Amino acid sequence: MTEQPTVDPAGAIETVFRIESPRVIASVARIVRDVGIAEELAQDALVAALEQWPRDGVPDNPGAWLTATAKHRAIDLVRRRERYAQKLEEVGRDLSVTAPHHVDEPADPDDIDDDLLRLVFTACHPVLSAEARIALTLRLLGGLTTPEIARAFLAPEATIAQRIVRAKRTLAKKGVAFEVPYGPEREARLGSVLEVIYLIFNEGYAATAGDDLLRPALCEDALRLARVLAELMPKEPEVHGLVALLELQASRAAARTGPSGEPVLLKDQNRRRWNRLLIRRGFAALGRANAVATGGPGPYALQAAIAACHAQAYAYEDTDWGQIATLYGLLAARAPSPVIELNRAVAVSMAEGPEPALTIVDGLVAEPALRDYHLLPSVRGDLLARLGRTAEARAEFERAASLARNERERAMLLTRARECG
């Protein structure tokens, strides 16, 4: 251990724990088979660091120190449990029915022996609600505190805390195994994992409520999780497809808001502010997705291909809207959704004109899933305005503003309504 008197131990501990906590929790969870207990033991290791590092100095490898300390405590806990079980046996208690049996992992060539990947699949288990999966993933894998998650989603801290506690209790109560599933179950569970990361990114990219359109920290957390998952599952095309989509979407973040935080529409964005490094990374990830795909592109890869069409256009007028409309058609066939159909209508309006697009949108008006979706009247208002039906357009923009929960979007929609005269 090397003395480093110039390093602030408290700051170092906070930084290291945020970065290393997912791996610490994952390593310990493999021993105790319970993510709730694993997180408690990781916190114990943090407390030990707060006690020892100011006195002894920050270790050369702080992450390894935290992991080793948490593992030692996990092993002590397991040994205490075993001794307790032995004592019960000695007094004649038959634990053969109630005691959990340890079963070795199958020696399957498709096995992914990585504790962090096991933690991903556990935190995103479908037995939990989408809200619980998001909160637990950000806590265990994103390293966010409960107050940070609450601020990100504009929810009370008590609500988020209860959500996380209930999620951990549910996993324990349902006996969810700390493992990566095999065969068809893995594919089904992987969809849940990707959905959680996608929802986290979307909340950062276009906040559903509040005063800010963007929450960059959430985008960064989701992108980091997606990159980690791609390293752990390099043969899964949809993992690379999701990474490509998030890289390409994130590349436009700086141009999506104006000096006062107001939204800037795609056609008005300064494309010189698009991050070319993220675009290159997005194209590379899309290439990997296509390289390992065997049955055609999946939904995330198709969305990434759509984002790539925008990234390739150096000016808005250069956008290949015909190709985008085709890709949306493929996406709608692969993953039918009213929201995807609404996006296809936008692409059709740019490729073929507002009239055929309005026909598509009018067919979505009765969709129950879009009843309170502010972008439906917003798109319809835009199409009506382009057709010269300004009075109808104004009413649609006003309705969209009444449904929007984000203050920035509401203000923009009201402005568009006023522009209709």
Side-chain angles (χ1 to χ4, degrees):
M1 185 173 291
T2 304
E3 294 284 346
Q4 297 180 358
T6 59
V7 177
D8 172 28
I13 293 170
E14 180 182 353
T15 301
V16 169
F17 193 74
R18 180 180 291 269
I19 296 171
E20 297 292 338
S21 61
R23 296 189 181 276
V24 176
I25 295 169
S27 298
V28 175
R30 179 168 54 84
I31 299 172
V32 298
R33 301 280 167 170
D34 186 307
V35 294
I37 295 174
E39 187 185 13
E40 291 175 6
L41 292 170
Q43 292 289 338
D44 288 346
L46 173 62
V47 172
L50 288 168
E51 293 173 351
Q52 295 185 36
W53 290 8
R55 182 186 68 234
D56 302 332
V58 178
D60 291 331
N61 191 335
W65 189 98
L66 288 167
T67 300
T69 301
K71 277 187 172 182
H72 287 318
R73 294 176 184 239
I75 292 170
D76 288 341
L77 177 63
V78 171
R79 285 173 177 166
R80 287 197 300 272
R81 286 175 172 176
E82 289 176 350
R83 285 197 297 269
Y84 179 68
Q86 288 171 359
K87 288 179 180 178
L88 288 178
E89 285 184 320
E90 289 172 2
V91 297
R93 288 290 302 273
D94 182 8
L95 301 179
S96 60
V97 176
T98 57
H101 296 278
H102 176 73
V103 180
D104 292 333
E105 300 284 340
D108 190 306
D110 198 29
D111 182 27
I112 301 176
D113 185 18
D114 192 287
D115 294 335
L116 190 58
L117 189 57
R118 298 169 197 261
L119 184 61
V120 171
F121 275 87
T122 303
C124 297
H125 197 286
V127 74
L128 303 175
S129 68
E131 295 81 5
R133 276 179 264 160
I134 289 172
L136 191 60
T137 300
L138 286 175
R139 176 64 173 268
L140 298 182
L141 292 153
L144 274 67
T145 64
T146 299
E148 287 172 332
I149 299 171
R151 284 198 299 272
F153 288 91
L154 303 181
E157 288 185 28
T159 300
I160 296 298
Q162 289 175 0
R163 195 171 289 169
I164 293 171
V165 169
R166 287 172 183 166
K168 289 187 286 191
R169 285 177 180 169
T170 299
L171 293 176
K173 183 178 180 181
K174 297 288 186 180
V176 173
F178 183 67
E179 64 182 8
V180 176
Y182 296 85
E185 187 185 352
R186 175 182 295 176
E187 183 177 350
R189 289 265 298 277
L190 179 60
S192 174
V193 174
L194 298 180
E195 179 190 26
V196 167
I197 297 175
Y198 184 58
L199 289 173
I200 292 171
F201 181 88
N202 274 354
E203 183 59 30
Y205 193 71
T208 54
D211 297 328
D212 299 316
L213 180 69
L214 302 177
R215 297 202 178 99
L218 277 180
C219 290
E220 293 167 6
D221 286 326
L223 193 47
R224 177 164 53 85
L225 290 173
R227 290 169 180 164
V228 168
L229 191 61
E231 291 178 3
L232 298 175
M233 306 185 73
K235 296 181 181 180
E236 291 289 346
E238 275 293 78
V239 174
H240 295 298
L242 178 64
V243 173
L245 174 61
L246 302 194
E247 299 275 14
L248 291 169
Q249 294 286 71
S251 71
R252 304 203 295 261
R256 293 189 66 238
T257 54
S260 302
E262 69 279 8
V264 178
L265 298 175
L266 180 63
K267 65 183 179 65
D268 299 322
Q269 289 177 16
N270 179 358
R271 300 194 173 208
R272 287 176 294 182
R273 298 189 67 196
W274 288 8
N275 189 314
R276 308 313 299 184
L277 172 61
L278 292 181
I279 290 175
R280 289 194 296 271
R281 294 180 70 158
F283 276 106
L286 185 57
R288 288 191 290 271
N290 294 331
V292 298
T294 56
Y300 290 112
L302 284 170
Q303 291 179 76
I306 292 168
C309 288
H310 290 296
Q312 286 175 321
Y314 286 97
Y316 183 75
E317 295 74 21
D318 300 331
T319 306
D320 189 347
W321 289 105
Q323 176 67 7
I324 292 175
T326 299
L327 288 169
Y328 267 121
L330 294 173
L331 181 59
R334 187 71 185 263
S337 160
V339 174
I340 291 173
E341 193 67 5
L342 181 63
N343 289 331
R344 186 176 76 86
V346 174
V348 168
S349 76
M350 300 304 298
E352 304 175 24
E355 193 83 47
L358 185 60
T359 301
I360 298 173
V361 173
D362 285 346
L364 298 172
V365 171
E367 278 285 346
L370 300 181
R371 183 177 57 188
D372 298 322
Y373 189 53
H374 69 285
L375 291 182
L376 176 60
S378 173
V379 170
R380 195 167 188 275
D382 181 71
L383 297 176
L384 290 168
R386 288 166 59 185
L387 288 168
R389 296 160 60 178
T390 53
E392 295 173 82
R394 179 185 178 111
E396 289 295 306
F397 284 130
E398 289 175 344
R399 170 169 161 72
S402 71
L403 294 173
R405 294 168 55 199
N406 185 280
E407 293 299 329
R408 298 290 185 177
E409 285 189 294
R410 182 182 293 119
M412 181 187 70
L413 290 165
L414 290 174
T415 297
R416 298 206 66 187
R418 286 192 295 271
E419 289 172 351
C420 289

